[in-house]
Amino acid sequence: MGQEGSGVLQFNWKIHTRVFAGFILIHLAHFSLGATNTGDVAAINKLYAALGAPPLPGWVPAAGDPCSDAWQGVQCENADIVS
């Protein structure tokens, strides 16, 4: 039983390690999807729609990435829109 029990423990550790690594990868993928804070993107998209979607270079009515796509008039600091 000693050898059988240690095999089960080793198998459990492998599963736990893989699950933990999966959660880490999912968490990191969230940050690698875009260069701009998602809350800032939602707010600036609402502003753009409220202005009647004027023809501004780089701007799109939904989604997009204001910081990495260099939307006209948008200043970013790291992942946050600052002005």
Side-chain angles (χ1 to χ4, degrees), residues 14-82:
K14 286 182 182 180
I15 290 174
H16 285 78
T17 302
R18 288 181 181 163
V19 169
F20 180 72
F23 281 122
I24 295 296
L25 289 174
I26 289 169
H27 182 71
L28 290 175
H30 169 73
F31 290 108
S32 66
L33 292 176
T36 309
N37 178 318
T38 55
D40 287 353
V41 173
I44 204 164
N45 283 147
K46 287 179 184 177
L47 171 66
Y48 184 66
L51 293 172
L56 296 170
W59 287 61
V60 292
D65 196 335
C67 292
S68 69
D69 295 340
W71 290 15
Q72 180 184 8
V74 176
Q75 299 292 320
C76 297
E77 192 170 296
N78 297 318
D80 298 319
I81 297 173
V82 293

